Every structure is written in C-alpha cells, then in structure tokens.
Amino acid sequence: MSRPATFVPPAGARAYSLRTARGEFAVVDAPVADGVEPKGVALLLPGFTGSKEDFNPLHVPLAERGYRTVAVDGRGQFESDGPEHDESAYAQEELARDVLAQVAAVGTAPVHLLGHSLGGQVSRAAVLLDHSPFASLTLMASGPAQISVSQQQRVKLLRDALAVMTMAEVWDAIQAMEAPEETATGGLDGGLDNRDDLRRRWMGNRPAQLLATGRQLCSEPDRVAGLAAVPLPFHVLSGALDDTWPLALLDDMAARLGARRTVVEGAEHSPNTDRPLATARALADFWDAHPAPTD
C-alpha cells in the first residue's frame, strides 16, 4: 500500500471533480509555478489501492520545471465513483477508455502520461487504444506482465478476504498483519501519522474495483511488443528495490521498448513518495527531452 506523507494537496493545487464524457473523476490539479514558462501537462495515474494523493510530493518540483500535473483517482478508486459489485465496469479496456476521456477533459492534448504500478498497465492499455492524445509514456514501477508470485499471493489473500468480509473488517485485518513501523506512518516532518486518511482512502475503494484490478495484476499478458510499435517516447522508472516486478524484468522491458531507464536510489515500489525530488527531476528531464508538439 502506498503511503503519501500527507493527503493535503500542496499550495496552489486544486482538488475537484473532472467532468468527462465517461463520468466524473476526482483529481488534484497543480498549475505551473508562477514566473515559470509552461512546458506541458502530465496526467498521473496511481496504482492498486493507491490514489491521486500518492503524487502530492511531485507537484511542486514539477511545477517549478514548467509542468502542470493532474493526478487522478480512477473509476471506483478512493474519491471517484464506481459500482460496488459490477466488476465488468473495471475491465482494463473500460479503465483505458476512462483515461482517454480524462485527457480530452483536461483539454490540452497531447499530454505526458505516467502510470504507477497498476496505473502503468492501464496507461499502456490506453496508449494501445489510441496514442494520439499522448506526448510520451512513463511506466513507473510497472512491469511487462503479471506481478511477482509473492505479490500474487498477497492479492489472492485480499480477494479471498473481500469475499467474506466487509471493507472495514479487511482494513482491520491488514493493520493487524502489518509491522508496527508500517502502520505508524508519520509525515516527513515527524508529525501525527495519517492512518485515518489511509483508512478513509481504503474505505472509499469499491470492492469490485479491487477484485477486478487485482485479477488484472495477476494475469496481465506481456504486451511490450505491441507497445514498442507505438510511435511514442517511453520511460521506465523504478526504485532500486522492488518486489512487485524484479528490476531485471524492468531493465529488459526498457531495452525492448527502446526506453529511457531510470533507477532511483533509495526508493522501493513507490519512488514518488520514497524519493520525490529525484523522481521529479528524472521525469522532468525526460519530458524536457520530448516536448509535446504545439500547434
């Protein structure tokens, strides 16, 4: 589970519901910093059990580099609505079409697209449907196919629990299973922990969304060859340690895509929260090298 230091958007960012042709999606929208020349827009998609708040630490450093960033909760994820029990609404193609609708609603295509973990799989599916609204694709801690066996086992435990327990009961069970240092998640300044926010986010997720996307993580085929045929620049970014997709798989995927490869030292599966400044710098450097076309 990703653990943002705070659920409060940074100064200048705006949290609102983005209206699209496929419904409304909760976003955090951060403009370019005052006095900085705008360079482009990036759409940021979070991972499994994550949310738009996972990108809070990236907004300011990217704004200072000239990028407006729009982080979004996907369908049925935290503050975005979705059906409780209809898993068909969360088929990967449906989620990919949501992304295309989000880009259209942001209104500044082409945008740089970034997907973290599950968000990377959804991003890839969107690009394979229609690459024209995108200037580039960054896959952050997101591999070529299904997640590792150990992570598949964890997802199966979650799916089994959701079949017989309420969301609140599952949350309590997760907390009981985690080590104290994992449940006591303090902010960067050592202030009060954000367990209440983490619980609120968990309770906002729709069970059908978790079940459907969990299955996708465990069964995703290797679609790298198809993605490599798409005429976009690619970036594969990860932490130096990651047990969801082994780094060797990410290295190989980057080679197959002809992608830029960034390994963020001192980071694990969520470099956006583990090492946000280094991550933001790597993202902006990549986007600077591949500016979005302008009319």
Side-chain angles (χ1 to χ4, degrees), residues 195-210:
R195 278 176 290 181
D196 288 345
D197 286 325
L198 291 171
R199 185 183 189 280
R200 181 169 59 88
R201 176 173 70 178
W202 171 260
M203 295 299 297
N205 286 307
R206 306 302 187 270
Q209 183 266 131
L210 294 172

Side-chain angles (χ1 to χ4, degrees), residues 110-151:
V111 306
H112 297 287
L113 181 62
L114 180 150
H116 175 225
S117 196
L118 172 71
Q121 294 187 347
V122 174
S123 296
R124 177 171 68 180
V127 166
L128 289 171
L129 277 177
D130 182 5
H131 71 271
S132 64
F134 304 109
S136 72
L137 172 61
T138 295
L139 301 172
M140 183 167 72
S142 186
Q146 72 272 11
I147 55 179
S148 66
V149 172
S150 64
Q151 291 299 314

Side-chain angles (χ1 to χ4, degrees), residues 60-232:
V60 169
L62 290 174
E64 292 173 347
R65 290 287 297 268
Y67 292 97
R68 174 190 171 197
T69 46
V70 183
V72 58
D73 287 337
R75 180 193 299 262
Q77 188 175 47
F78 190 26
E79 294 180 323
S80 289
D81 198 13
E84 290 279 331
H85 304 295
D86 178 11
E87 292 186 39
S88 67
Y90 304 106
Q92 189 182 78
E93 182 172 336
E94 294 299 314
L95 300 180
R97 293 192 182 281
D98 288 346
V99 175
L100 297 176
Q102 292 156 12
V103 174
V106 168
T108 54
V111 306
H112 297 287
L113 181 62
L114 180 150
H116 175 225
S117 196
L118 172 71
Q121 294 187 347
V122 174
S123 296
R124 177 171 68 180
V127 166
L128 289 171
L129 277 177
D130 182 5
H131 71 271
S132 64
F134 304 109
S136 72
L137 172 61
T138 295
L139 301 172
M140 183 167 72
S142 186
Q146 72 272 11
I147 55 179
S148 66
V149 172
S150 64
Q151 291 299 314
Q152 289 183 45
Q153 292 170 346
R154 295 187 68 172
V155 171
K156 183 180 185 302
L157 283 173
L158 174 59
R159 287 166 46 196
D160 290 346
L162 287 171
V164 296
M165 301 165 70
T166 66
M167 289 290 287
E169 289 170 339
V170 174
W171 172 259
D172 290 341
I174 291 172
Q175 297 308 290
M177 292 171 59
E178 290 188 337
E181 64 270 18
E182 292 180 309
T183 56
T185 53
L188 294 178
D189 60 356
L192 295 176
D193 68 56
N194 61 356
R195 278 176 290 181
D196 288 345
D197 286 325
L198 291 171
R199 185 183 189 280
R200 181 169 59 88
R201 176 173 70 178
W202 171 260
M203 295 299 297
N205 286 307
R206 306 302 187 270
Q209 183 266 131
L210 294 172
L211 291 168
T213 57
R215 287 192 181 90
Q216 291 167 29
L217 285 168
C218 295
S219 61
E220 177 75 359
D222 188 320
R223 305 175 72 188
V224 175
L227 187 63
V230 174
L232 283 180

Side-chain angles (χ1 to χ4, degrees), residues 44-64:
L44 314 177
L45 307 185
F48 186 62
T49 74
S51 68
K52 60 191 179 301
E53 287 74 19
D54 295 340
F55 300 109
N56 278 349
L58 299 184
H59 290 302
V60 169
L62 290 174
E64 292 173 347

Side-chain angles (χ1 to χ4, degrees), residues 29-49:
D29 189 337
V32 174
D34 291 342
V36 176
E37 180 181 356
K39 295 179 181 176
V41 179
L43 184 69
L44 314 177
L45 307 185
F48 186 62
T49 74

